[in-house]
Coordinates of all heavy atoms in Angstrom, one line a residue:
I237 N -1.5 4.0 -28.3 CA -0.2 4.7 -28.6 C -0.1 5.7 -27.5 O -0.7 6.7 -27.4 CB -0.3 5.4 -30.0 CG1 -0.8 4.5 -31.1 CG2 1.1 6.0 -30.3 CD1 0.1 3.4 -31.4
C238 N 0.8 5.3 -26.5 CA 1.1 6.2 -25.3 C 2.1 5.5 -24.5 O 2.2 4.2 -24.6 CB -0.2 6.5 -24.5 SG -0.9 5.0 -23.7
D239 N 2.8 6.2 -23.7 CA 3.9 5.5 -22.9 C 3.2 4.8 -21.7 O 3.8 3.8 -21.2 CB 4.9 6.5 -22.4 CG 4.5 7.6 -21.4 OD1 3.4 7.4 -20.8 OD2 5.1 8.6 -21.3
G240 N 2.1 5.2 -21.3 CA 1.3 4.4 -20.3 C 1.9 4.4 -18.9 O 1.6 3.6 -18.0
K241 N 2.9 5.3 -18.6 CA 3.5 5.4 -17.3 C 2.6 6.0 -16.3 O 1.6 6.6 -16.6 CB 4.8 6.2 -17.4 CG 5.9 5.6 -18.3 CD 7.1 6.4 -18.4 CE 8.2 5.7 -19.3 NZ 9.4 6.6 -19.5
P242 N 2.8 5.7 -15.0 CA 1.9 6.2 -13.9 C 1.7 7.7 -14.0 O 2.6 8.5 -14.2 CB 2.6 5.8 -12.6 CG 3.5 4.6 -13.0 CD 3.9 4.9 -14.4
S243 N 0.4 8.1 -13.9 CA 0.1 9.5 -14.0 C 0.1 10.2 -12.6 O 0.0 11.4 -12.5 CB -1.3 9.7 -14.7 OG -2.3 8.9 -14.0
K244 N 0.2 9.4 -11.6 CA 0.2 9.9 -10.2 C 1.6 9.7 -9.6 O 2.2 8.6 -9.8 CB -0.8 9.2 -9.3 CG -2.3 9.2 -9.9 CD -2.9 10.5 -9.9 CE -4.3 10.5 -10.4 NZ -4.9 11.8 -10.5
P245 N 2.1 10.7 -9.0 CA 3.5 10.6 -8.4 C 3.7 9.6 -7.4 O 4.8 9.1 -7.2 CB 3.7 12.0 -7.9 CG 2.4 12.6 -7.6 CD 1.5 12.0 -8.7
Y246 N 2.6 9.2 -6.7 CA 2.7 8.2 -5.6 C 2.6 6.7 -6.1 O 2.6 5.8 -5.3 CB 1.7 8.5 -4.5 CG 0.3 8.6 -5.0 CD1 -0.5 7.4 -5.2 CD2 -0.3 9.8 -5.3 CE1 -1.8 7.5 -5.7 CE2 -1.6 9.9 -5.7 CZ -2.3 8.8 -5.9 OH -3.6 8.9 -6.4
V247 N 2.4 6.6 -7.4 CA 2.2 5.2 -8.0 C 3.5 4.7 -8.6 O 4.2 5.5 -9.3 CB 1.1 5.2 -9.0 CG1 1.0 3.8 -9.7 CG2 -0.2 5.6 -8.4
V248 N 3.9 3.5 -8.2 CA 5.2 2.9 -8.7 C 4.9 1.9 -9.8 O 4.0 1.0 -9.6 CB 5.9 2.3 -7.6 CG1 7.2 1.6 -8.1 CG2 6.3 3.3 -6.5
Q249 N 5.6 1.9 -10.9 CA 5.4 1.0 -12.0 C 6.1 -0.4 -11.6 O 7.2 -0.4 -11.2 CB 6.0 1.5 -13.3 CG 5.9 0.5 -14.5 CD 4.6 0.7 -15.2 OE1 4.1 1.8 -15.5 NE2 3.9 -0.5 -15.4
M250 N 5.3 -1.5 -11.8 CA 5.8 -2.8 -11.5 C 5.7 -3.7 -12.8 O 4.9 -3.4 -13.7 CB 5.1 -3.4 -10.4 CG 5.2 -2.7 -9.0 SD 6.9 -2.9 -8.4 CE 6.8 -4.6 -7.8
G251 N 6.4 -4.8 -12.8 CA 6.3 -5.7 -13.9 C 7.0 -5.3 -15.1 O 7.8 -4.4 -15.2
L252 N 6.7 -6.0 -16.2 CA 7.4 -5.8 -17.5 C 7.1 -4.4 -18.1 O 6.0 -3.9 -18.0 CB 6.8 -6.8 -18.5 CG 7.6 -6.9 -19.8 CD1 9.0 -7.5 -19.6 CD2 6.8 -7.9 -20.8
E253 N 8.1 -3.8 -18.6 CA 8.0 -2.5 -19.3 C 7.0 -2.5 -20.4 O 6.9 -3.5 -21.2 CB 9.4 -2.1 -19.8 CG 9.4 -0.8 -20.6 CD 10.8 -0.5 -21.2 OE1 11.5 -1.5 -21.5 OE2 11.1 0.6 -21.5
E254 N 6.2 -1.5 -20.5 CA 5.1 -1.5 -21.5 C 5.6 -0.8 -22.8 O 6.3 0.3 -22.7 CB 3.9 -0.8 -21.0 CG 3.1 -1.5 -19.9 CD 2.4 -2.7 -20.5 OE1 1.9 -2.6 -21.7 OE2 2.2 -3.7 -19.8
P255 N 5.3 -1.3 -24.0 CA 5.7 -0.6 -25.2 C 4.9 0.6 -25.5 O 3.7 0.6 -25.2 CB 5.5 -1.7 -26.3 CG 4.5 -2.6 -25.7 CD 4.6 -2.6 -24.2
M256 N 5.4 1.6 -26.2 CA 4.7 2.7 -26.6 C 3.5 2.3 -27.5 O 2.4 2.8 -27.4 CB 5.6 3.7 -27.3 CG 4.9 4.9 -28.0 SD 4.2 6.1 -27.0 CE 5.6 6.9 -26.3
V257 N 3.9 1.4 -28.5 CA 2.9 1.0 -29.4 C 2.5 -0.5 -29.0 O 3.3 -1.4 -29.1 CB 3.4 0.9 -30.9 CG1 2.4 0.4 -31.9 CG2 3.9 2.3 -31.2
K258 N 1.2 -0.6 -28.5 CA 0.8 -1.9 -28.0 C -0.5 -2.3 -28.7 O -1.4 -1.5 -28.9 CB 0.6 -1.8 -26.5 CG 0.2 -3.1 -25.8 CD 0.0 -3.0 -24.3 CE -0.4 -4.3 -23.7 NZ -0.5 -4.2 -22.2
R259 N -0.5 -3.6 -29.0 CA -1.8 -4.2 -29.5 C -2.1 -5.5 -28.7 O -1.2 -6.3 -28.4 CB -1.5 -4.6 -31.0 CG -2.6 -5.5 -31.6 CD -2.4 -5.7 -33.1 NE -3.3 -6.7 -33.7 CZ -2.9 -7.9 -34.1 NH1 -1.7 -8.3 -33.9 NH2 -3.9 -8.7 -34.6
T260 N -3.4 -5.6 -28.4 CA -3.9 -6.9 -27.8 C -5.0 -7.4 -28.6 O -5.8 -6.6 -29.3 CB -4.4 -6.6 -26.3 OG1 -5.3 -5.5 -26.3 CG2 -3.2 -6.3 -25.4
V261 N -5.2 -8.7 -28.7 CA -6.2 -9.4 -29.4 C -7.0 -10.3 -28.5 O -6.4 -11.2 -27.9 CB -5.6 -10.2 -30.6 CG1 -6.7 -10.9 -31.4 CG2 -4.8 -9.3 -31.5
E262 N -8.3 -10.0 -28.4 CA -9.1 -10.8 -27.5 C -9.9 -11.8 -28.3 O -10.9 -11.5 -29.0 CB -10.1 -9.9 -26.7 CG -9.3 -8.8 -25.9 CD -8.3 -9.3 -25.0 OE1 -8.4 -10.5 -24.5 OE2 -7.3 -8.6 -24.7
G263 N -9.4 -13.0 -28.4 CA -10.0 -14.0 -29.2 C -11.3 -14.6 -28.8 O -12.0 -15.3 -29.5
D264 N -11.8 -14.2 -27.5 CA -13.0 -14.7 -27.0 C -14.1 -13.6 -27.1 O -15.2 -13.8 -26.5 CB -12.9 -15.2 -25.6 CG -12.3 -14.2 -24.6 OD1 -11.8 -13.2 -25.1 OD2 -12.4 -14.4 -23.4
L265 N -13.8 -12.5 -27.7 CA -14.7 -11.4 -27.8 C -15.0 -11.0 -29.2 O -14.3 -10.2 -29.8 CB -14.2 -10.1 -27.0 CG -13.8 -10.3 -25.5 CD1 -13.2 -9.0 -25.0 CD2 -15.0 -10.8 -24.8
G266 N -15.9 -11.7 -29.8 CA -16.3 -11.4 -31.2 C -17.8 -11.4 -31.4 O -18.5 -12.0 -30.7
M267 N -18.2 -10.8 -32.5 CA -19.6 -10.6 -32.8 C -20.3 -11.8 -33.4 O -21.5 -11.9 -33.4 CB -19.9 -9.4 -33.7 CG -19.4 -8.1 -33.1 SD -20.3 -7.6 -31.6 CE -21.9 -7.4 -32.3
R268 N -19.5 -12.7 -34.0 CA -20.1 -13.9 -34.7 C -19.4 -15.2 -34.3 O -19.9 -15.9 -33.5 CB -20.0 -13.7 -36.2 CG -20.9 -12.5 -36.7 CD -22.4 -12.8 -36.5 NE -23.2 -11.7 -37.0 CZ -23.7 -10.7 -36.2 NH1 -23.4 -10.7 -34.9 NH2 -24.5 -9.8 -36.7
V269 N -18.2 -15.5 -34.8 CA -17.5 -16.7 -34.5 C -17.4 -16.9 -33.0 O -17.5 -18.0 -32.5 CB -16.1 -16.7 -35.2 CG1 -15.3 -17.9 -34.8 CG2 -16.3 -16.7 -36.7
S270 N -17.1 -15.8 -32.3 CA -16.8 -15.9 -30.9 C -18.0 -15.4 -30.0 O -17.8 -15.0 -28.8 CB -15.6 -15.1 -30.5 OG -14.5 -15.4 -31.3
A271 N -19.2 -15.4 -30.6 CA -20.4 -14.9 -29.8 C -20.6 -15.7 -28.5 O -20.9 -15.1 -27.5 CB -21.6 -14.9 -30.7
E272 N -20.6 -17.0 -28.6 CA -20.8 -17.8 -27.4 C -19.7 -17.6 -26.3 O -20.0 -17.5 -25.1 CB -21.0 -19.3 -27.7 CG -22.2 -19.6 -28.5 CD -22.4 -21.0 -28.9 OE1 -21.5 -21.5 -29.7 OE2 -23.3 -21.7 -28.4
S273 N -18.5 -17.5 -26.8 CA -17.4 -17.3 -25.8 C -17.5 -15.9 -25.2 O -17.1 -15.6 -24.1 CB -16.0 -17.5 -26.5 OG -15.8 -16.6 -27.5

């Protein structure tokens, strides 16, 4: 939960606009079912 915009004045934002509320799911990072991946 943050706007995620550049914190340095010399950095330019590129690519798709980021949402304030963002969720990512890493399906290859798990403690049991995905242990080998």
Side-chain angles (χ1 to χ4, degrees):
I237 314 294
C238 63
D239 65 23
K241 293 177 180 177
S243 55
K244 307 293 184 185
Y246 54 81
V247 176
V248 178
Q249 181 82 50
M250 296 291 287
L252 191 67
E253 178 186 24
E254 290 286 328
M256 169 69 73
V257 180
K258 181 177 179 179
R259 169 176 172 250
T260 51
V261 179
E262 306 304 335
D264 57 346
L265 303 177
M267 298 295 296
R268 294 295 180 263
V269 174
S270 307
E272 289 177 296
S273 62

